[in-house]
Amino acid sequence: MTPLENKVSPRKIAEQKYKSARNNLLLMIGFTVINIVLLVLDAGVMFLFSATIPYYATLFGMMVDSAAAMTVLFLVAAFSIIAYLVCWIFSKKHFGWMIGALVLFVIDTVAMGWIALMALDISAIIDVAFHAWVIVYLVVGISNGSKLRTLPEESEQEVIEDL
């Protein structure tokens, strides 16, 4: 370890890991929205670092003949994305919202697994790996958010010494 690495406080490390988890959550939300736009545009491509439920709700909504069913499925997609976005926004101040995002994403992962099993889609293994990545980051975020509650605030003098 270099002398500079020795001076990084546990609080700074926890803050950075928590920020990274929040950034990954936002990235997942962004890719989910992009995937839905690509689906509507019939682009034939999609990003894997995204949520499954909003994507498939939109897909099934585009396939049904009933206006009521289509509306319900589009609302499911919209509310799913909004729920993740709310978790991201409020997680800036309270790490409990990361727990909410984790619960939502675990449900999403189960749904993705069920859809892959029903379709007998072996290529979903790659999607499982990306879902696992998001879950790991959310767990790391929750762990470090919890640590930040117990770690003491740094004084101005400690911050100056770190520089």
Side-chain angles (χ1 to χ4, degrees):
M1 245 190 234
T2 66
L4 182 59
E5 290 174 333
N6 289 335
K7 293 193 178 226
V8 178
S9 70
R11 181 163 192 84
K12 288 280 186 207
I13 293 169
E15 286 172 349
Q16 184 55 42
K17 287 183 179 180
Y18 188 73
K19 182 179 178 185
S20 179
R22 289 187 74 245
N23 288 341
N24 273 277
L25 176 58
L26 184 60
L27 190 62
M28 182 275 297
I29 295 166
F31 280 137
T32 300
V33 171
I34 290 169
N35 280 344
I36 290 172
V37 170
L38 291 172
L39 175 66
V40 170
L41 295 176
D42 197 23
V45 295
M46 69 179 289
F47 294 98
L48 295 175
F49 198 79
S50 64
T52 301
I53 291 174
Y55 180 85
Y56 277 97
T58 304
L59 176 65
F60 295 148
M62 292 169 56
M63 294 169 52
V64 297
D65 291 330
S66 164
M70 179 181 67
T71 301
V72 168
L73 288 164
F74 287 169
L75 286 173
V76 166
F79 285 134
S80 296
I81 293 169
I82 290 168
Y84 284 118
L85 191 58
V86 165
C87 288
W88 177 77
I89 290 168
F90 289 112
S91 69
K92 184 167 186 166
K93 297 286 183 189
H94 304 286
F95 83 94
W97 288 93
M98 291 292 277
I99 296 171
L102 176 63
V103 168
L104 290 172
F105 205 74
V106 166
I107 292 168
D108 190 84
T109 303
V110 169
M112 185 253 330
W114 182 79
I115 290 168
L117 282 174
M118 293 297 107
L120 298 174
D121 183 10
I122 195 73
S123 68
I125 291 172
I126 297 169
D127 204 8
V128 169
F130 279 98
H131 270 69
W133 180 357
V134 174
I135 288 171
V136 166
Y137 266 98
L138 291 172
V139 169
V140 166
I142 292 165
S143 172
N144 284 283
S146 177
K147 286 179 188 176
L148 287 171
R149 287 178 48 194
T150 60
L151 288 172
E153 293 287 331
E154 293 181 343
S155 69
E156 257 185 62
Q157 184 62 33
E158 290 172 328
V159 173
I160 292 170
E161 287 175 5
D162 283 346
L163 297 177

